[in-house]
Amino acid sequence: MQPTSSKPFSYETFPISGVVAYFSMEIAINPAMPTYSGGLGILAGDTLRSAADLGVPLVAFTLVHRKGYFQQHLDVMGTQKEEVQPWDPTDFCTEEPARVTVSVEGRTVTVRCWRYNLAGRYGHVVPIYLLDTDVDGNSGWDRGLTDHLYGGDTNYRLQQEIVLGMGGARMVRALGFRANVYHMNEGHAALLTLALLESQLGGGPLGEATETDMQQVRKRCVFTTHTPVPAGHDRFSTEQSIRILGGDRTARLEKLGCFRDGMLNMTLLALRFSRYANGVAMQHGKVSREMFPEFAIDSITNGVHAPTWTSAPIQQMLDEHIPAWRRDNLYLRNAIDLPEKAIIQAHARTKEALLADVAARTGLVLNPKVLTLGFARRAATYKRATLLFTDPQRLVEIATAAGGLQILYAGKAHPQDEPGKALIQKVVEEAAKLSNDVLRIVYLENHAWDLGALLTSGVDVWVNTPKRPYEASGTSGMKAALNGVPSLSILDGWWIEGCIEGFTGWAIEDGANDVEEATSLYKKLETAVVPLFLQQPENWAHLMRNTIAFNGSYFNTNRMVKQYTRNSYYPVKLIEQAKVQEVAYAG
Ligand SMILES: *Cc1c(COP(=O)(O)O)cnc(C)c1O
């Protein structure tokens, strides 16, 4: 059965029947659906958009998040106010008749789902199922389990993870799919392995699971970790695990070595039950192997969905000069030969659109001729949004020497992240203090898909200042690169792979502390960025086309999904084995 596509299944590409079931706590599906918070959700959405373009037989599972991720409002002091964004799944999705149940704190909770059809470039559909516990018969509390993305406490989170992992795995079958690969995008979905193990045992007690049973589950599971810091991994106390998951399951998980430092660790659980695991950039794979030395963890570097994140003028330019780029993003390598004039004009039009939007949002009229820097991402402390203000006087001097400097900021802090919120206030405070005729600093409210696309494409330089090695990958600089916008960034995450000094952007040198790294940031602005921008427009155009040719051609999900397909989902080695012992791989 192949419900994912009306077209015949391609045996050349995927010689085994069945689907990949992809699980993610957040997915940026559609700009009008507030079902994501930031980079992880955007990555999941871009993965599915490319899977649809490439015709990969894949179906996806997430939670419906009826109350949405919050809308951000900032007052003049930069204090963040959060407003819920309820949305109605019936506006975008179709309800499925299937129902499954999960056990949460000893209660039986019924789960339904909504289907969103994500169509690719050639019509192949990747269905996304949004799991929903707002069902008659569930208690008031349980009906709210799929309301808030990253809301509530860890009790709420573990209950949501039961719905996503165990509810989702059961829903795969209830919908009639034969999944031979279960992809856990981050540890939030790790409990799906328990549902598979229980189904392997015919619903029997987990205590009776043998090594062979475990192998059967492992054969079908793959995992992507996204977090380079131990504290970032999802963890739950033994007490929570016993109370919410049950004593029998908790005992089994302990025996299987899924606890670390006395806590149930979802990354460990996912790793124990996966035949393949990867980090999301070369360095992140290395850091993950150091954190979990007993596992072989590969790297597949992230990307972004090229047509989603390139501006209309850039798309028109590419269509004219490199028509094959949409079918296969590798052809963007040919951007090396783009006429300087074409790229300068396409960028100028993109920048105009951004500045018009800024004017509409804030009333502030910025100058399209002035060097404009962008910094927009989650306001997490390790991203150091205030590094640019380490020496305010020097920043003013740089702006004066450059004949003007404009800096556009945006980003939401998680509602419970007080240090993150303080960072936003600090940026807003500095912006008010420093802004004058030559230096203009603006913090834009409510960073989301639409604003993110405008900013990454429309500024002149994309700035990123994470503290090493906390940035697993980062993807906003990839969006910029596809638009010919160079990065000025710490050598962390993807930028280690993407930075060719002076050709695709510039590296902020590693220092012993924030002050040293800020000093390098200023120096690069003074000696490299500003002179090139002001005095050598032709060389700036070359930098822009290098950025598309070298980085746009690689840091995209078209390449990334092909890597997942052959390295993670369907390695040729396993396919060859499966031809011999049919059922083994088809599960
Ligand atoms: C791309 C994107 C991100 C990811 O930003 P990084 O800090 O580069 O990982 C976050 N939020 C939104 C809205 C985005 O579009």
Side-chain angles (χ1 to χ4, degrees):
M1 170 178 173
Q2 280 306 316
T4 60
S5 172
S6 51
K7 284 178 302 181
F9 185 61
S10 159
Y11 283 90
E12 285 87 40
T13 328
F14 303 105
I16 287 168
S17 65
V19 295
V20 176
Y22 179 93
F23 288 73
S24 184
M25 183 58 96
E26 52 170 314
I27 304 179
I29 299 168
N30 176 312
M33 291 162 63
T35 55
Y36 66 96
S37 89
L40 183 71
I42 298 272
L43 176 82
D46 282 357
T47 302
L48 303 184
R49 281 179 274 281
S50 282
D53 287 347
L54 289 165
V56 179
L58 188 145
V59 301
F61 293 83
T62 187
L63 302 187
V64 68
H65 305 303
R66 283 172 171 277
K67 299 282 164 67
Y69 198 64
F70 72 93
Q71 184 150 22
Q72 179 197 50
H73 300 286
L74 297 175
D75 68 14
V76 283
M77 305 297 290
T79 309
Q80 174 176 296
K81 297 246 163 42
E82 297 111 23
E83 191 191 336
V84 286
Q85 290 193 80
W87 68 287
D88 187 350
T90 60
D91 290 344
F92 302 89
C93 310
T94 313
E95 189 186 351
E96 290 285 341
R99 297 287 183 274
V100 298
T101 61
V102 290
S103 158
V104 176
E105 271 182 327
R107 303 182 304 277
T108 298
V109 178
T110 302
V111 185
R112 65 169 163 173
C113 68
W114 300 85
R115 188 186 73 244
Y116 181 98
N117 285 335
L118 182 71
R121 190 169 150 60
Y122 302 105
H124 178 80
V125 170
V126 165
I128 305 173
Y129 296 96
L130 299 97
L131 301 164
D132 183 10
T133 57
D134 187 12
V135 177
D136 282 342
N138 286 342
S139 74
W141 167 263
D142 291 331
R143 292 182 82 139
L145 282 180
T146 48
D147 274 352
H148 298 282
L149 173 61
Y150 307 137
D153 58 8
T154 53
N155 290 310
Y156 185 71
R157 176 71 70 85
L158 182 54
Q159 300 186 22
Q160 287 192 318
E161 294 190 6
I162 292 175
V163 176
L164 177 64
M166 307 192 74
R170 286 173 190 155
M171 194 59 87
V172 171
R173 296 196 170 205
L175 292 169
F177 291 110
R178 242 159 64 91
N180 45 34
V181 180
Y182 290 79
H183 183 180
M184 294 169 267
N185 186 47
E186 189 50 304
H188 307 126
L191 290 170
L192 73 82
T193 60
L194 278 193
L196 294 183
L197 188 60
E198 288 178 3
S199 126
Q200 177 71 26
L201 297 168
L206 281 174
E208 284 164 20
T210 62
E211 186 50 36
T212 315
D213 297 321
M214 305 255 309
Q215 281 295 351
Q216 286 302 325
V217 175
R218 210 172 280 132
K219 236 179 224 165
R220 283 175 283 164
C221 292
V222 300
F223 171 52
T224 302
T225 173
H226 291 263
T227 324
V229 266
H233 295 266
D234 241 345
R235 293 175 305 173
F236 302 99
S237 73
T238 309
E239 181 279 321
Q240 282 178 316
S241 177
I242 291 171
R243 175 164 46 84
I244 297 170
L245 264 177
D248 188 45
R249 288 175 178 149
T250 303
R252 191 67 196 166
L253 289 170
E254 255 178 319
K255 213 164 148 205
L256 291 172
C258 302
F259 278 66
R260 183 180 268 198
D261 306 325
M263 308 277 278
L264 171 58
N265 184 312
M266 300 316 248
T267 306
L268 263 181
L269 171 60
L271 286 168
R272 290 253 179 264
F273 277 99
S274 291
R275 66 168 161 78
Y276 176 90
N278 69 285
V280 291
M282 184 182 74
Q283 175 193 248
H284 178 236
K286 191 161 157 250
V287 170
S288 303
R289 287 191 291 278
E290 281 161 14
M291 259 190 295
F292 300 96
E294 63 273 51
F295 299 97
I297 302 176
D298 204 359
S299 294
I300 296 179
T301 300
N302 278 344
V304 296
H305 186 249
T308 296
W309 296 104
T310 36
S311 73
I314 293 284
Q315 293 197 24
Q316 280 162 17
M317 173 192 67
L318 294 173
D319 284 340
E320 187 180 329
H321 295 276
I322 315 172
W325 77 280
R326 290 180 188 270
R327 177 164 46 84
D328 180 350
N329 294 172
L330 261 180
Y331 286 107
L332 290 171
R333 189 67 174 71
N334 296 348
I336 202 70
D337 207 25
L338 283 171
E340 289 93 344
K341 223 166 126 190
I343 193 158
I344 287 172
Q345 283 174 357
H347 181 67
R349 284 169 59 205
T350 306
K351 191 172 177 181
E352 260 166 41
L354 166 65
L355 298 193
D357 190 77
V358 171
R361 282 168 191 256
T362 65
L364 190 71
V365 179
L366 296 175
N367 185 344
K369 297 221 162 60
V370 165
L371 177 64
T372 303
L373 313 181
F375 185 105
R377 46 185 51 85
R378 221 158 26 86
T381 46
Y382 80 86
K383 301 211 183 216
R384 298 191 296 190
T386 53
L387 196 75
L388 260 167
F389 304 122
T390 308
D391 182 351
Q393 196 45 45
R394 191 156 174 191
L395 190 61
V396 172
E397 282 160 21
I398 292 169
T400 309
L405 183 65
Q406 300 171 150
I407 310 176
L408 299 178
Y409 273 97
K412 296 176 180 173
H414 185 277
Q416 286 156 21
D417 180 5
E418 292 305 329
K421 289 183 181 180
L423 266 185
I424 297 176
Q425 286 177 320
K426 174 95 172 130
V427 174
V428 170
E429 190 188 310
E430 293 287 344
K433 237 180 2 205
L434 293 175
S435 284
N436 57 27
D437 286 347
V438 287
L439 181 59
R440 287 261 156 82
I441 306 166
V442 192
Y443 204 108
L444 299 162
E445 275 184 339
N446 204 37
H447 184 226
W449 181 330
D450 51 349
L451 181 58
L454 278 164
L455 284 167
T456 48
S457 61
V459 299
D460 298 307
V461 177
W462 194 248
V463 177
N464 194 14
T465 53
K467 190 160 180 52
R468 278 189 87 163
Y470 294 156
E471 183 93 313
S473 161
T475 51
S476 56
M478 302 175 181
K479 299 169 193 165
L482 272 158
N483 288 282
V485 173
S487 282
L488 168 60
S489 174
I490 298 280
L491 282 174
D492 198 15
W494 82 282
W495 193 232
I496 297 172
E497 296 160 60
C499 179
I500 310 171
E501 186 73 17
F503 281 83
T504 59
W506 307 269
I508 301 166
E509 314 276 339
D510 281 357
N513 51 47
D514 285 7
V515 173
E516 282 186 24
E517 293 187 350
T519 304
S520 167
L521 170 56
Y522 295 134
K523 205 166 144 224
K524 285 284 160 87
L525 281 170
E526 288 161 350
T527 60
V529 181
V530 171
L532 193 70
F533 185 82
L534 285 188
Q535 293 147 23
Q536 304 177 47
E538 198 170 324
N539 286 344
W540 190 272
H542 293 167
L543 179 84
M544 291 191 75
R545 66 185 190 190
N546 289 340
T547 297
I548 301 178
F550 288 91
N551 286 348
S553 66
Y554 183 79
F555 296 100
N556 57 68
T557 41
N558 184 274
R559 179 269 314 157
M560 186 196 84
V561 168
K562 287 179 196 163
Q563 282 201 296
Y564 273 98
T565 304
R566 273 301 178 240
N567 297 337
S568 175
Y569 303 157
Y570 299 110
V572 175
K573 190 178 81 186
L574 289 188
I575 289 169
E576 290 305 316
Q577 281 170 13
K579 278 186 194 153
V580 183
Q581 354 155 344
E582 295 226 354
V583 279
Y585 192 51

